[in-house]
Amino acid sequence: MTTRVMKSAGRHALRGSYVTARAGGKVAVYGVRTGIRRTQRFPALPDLPEGRFLDLPGRGEVFVVDTGAPHPGAPTLLLFHGLATTSYLTWFSTLDQLRGSHRIVMLDQRWHGRGIVSERFSLEECVDDAAAVLDALGIPAVVAVGYSMGGALAQMFWRRHGARTAGLVLASTSACWNANRGDAMFYPVLGAANDRFRDRYRARVGEVRASLSEPEPAGREMSTWAWREFRSTSAWALPEVLGVLGSFDARPWLGEIDVPTAVVVTARDHAIATARQRALAAAIPDAAVFEAPGGHASVVFDVERWRPVFLQAVADVVARLAG
């Protein structure tokens, strides 16, 4: 094959990856919107704690929710949200139960919602943002809690800020996104497309971020609120974030985790295979496993069955810390 033909094939592959990413984003948006409209399992929208914008020197302005301590000595939970969502949308159904006995801190991550639009998406920068928020709030240590992508962030938080990590709760997540032959083919192509189109992605993400009004945490019909909150993250962020998740691999150091840990497994998960979730739990010393019967979107669409299991996992870690 001549060099000219190889270059032409490469350009077509990149263009195809870009088109695929764009189409995938539209399919994801349509699918979520359809789910929001058709599902009958939404809980009522509770009164959510208000957030505020916090300027992190040298980093940027980020949207943060801090419920404050309900009583002296209450443990602090640092909540990391999932891919293509926001802190409110991931955690709305659990905040009422959690903030009665915990201080809750959560923020919109980079390239998501009202988070920082940086040159590139980075898991390391996301967890360092979270540490900077804790500095600003005067919080020395937390239980890091993560759902899906947020589970990777919680693991990374322990890795980079171990002295501030009192415990871990990892839900519907994995130690590695690139773990089979299909992944090994997909992520390099996605990465090449991202290198070429990242400036375009970032511009679109910035446009959506600049257009957002103040969040409306209460007073709206549930499906309308959820759709609006979902749309606050640009679909153009997905290729960049997925590409970064494809390079995440905590398996070499999971055995070093030395804090109380609970893993919530979703038993019918088709986004992150249940086997990967179990492998994550098996690799962490003394990790407790709690199983919810539904799929990956249980945190939103199957709350009544998922929430009790998640709350048990949080209670287990907090009890071990107290003990």
Side-chain angles (χ1 to χ4, degrees), residues 81-87 89-90 108-109 112-113 229-230 232-233 300:
H81 64 73
L83 172 68
T85 68
T86 63
S87 52
L89 187 55
T90 295
D108 284 359
Q109 303 300 330
H112 289 77
E229 194 68 14
F230 174 75
S232 70
T233 296
V300 175

Side-chain angles (χ1 to χ4, degrees), residues 14-36:
L14 288 173
R15 190 177 298 114
S17 299
Y18 171 71
V19 171
T20 299
R22 184 176 182 181
K26 290 183 177 181
V27 169
V29 168
Y30 175 79
V32 171
R33 189 171 191 176
T34 301
I36 287 173

Side-chain angles (χ1 to χ4, degrees), residues 112-148:
H112 289 77
R114 295 169 178 83
I116 297 168
V117 183
S118 49
E119 289 298 307
R120 303 183 65 155
F121 179 80
S122 162
L123 297 176
E124 291 83 359
E125 289 292 340
C126 285
V127 300
D128 290 350
D129 290 341
V133 167
L134 299 183
D135 289 338
L137 299 177
I139 299 174
V142 297
V143 174
V145 182
Y147 188 90
S148 190

Side-chain angles (χ1 to χ4, degrees), residues 65 232 290 301:
V65 173
S232 70
F290 297 82
F301 296 126

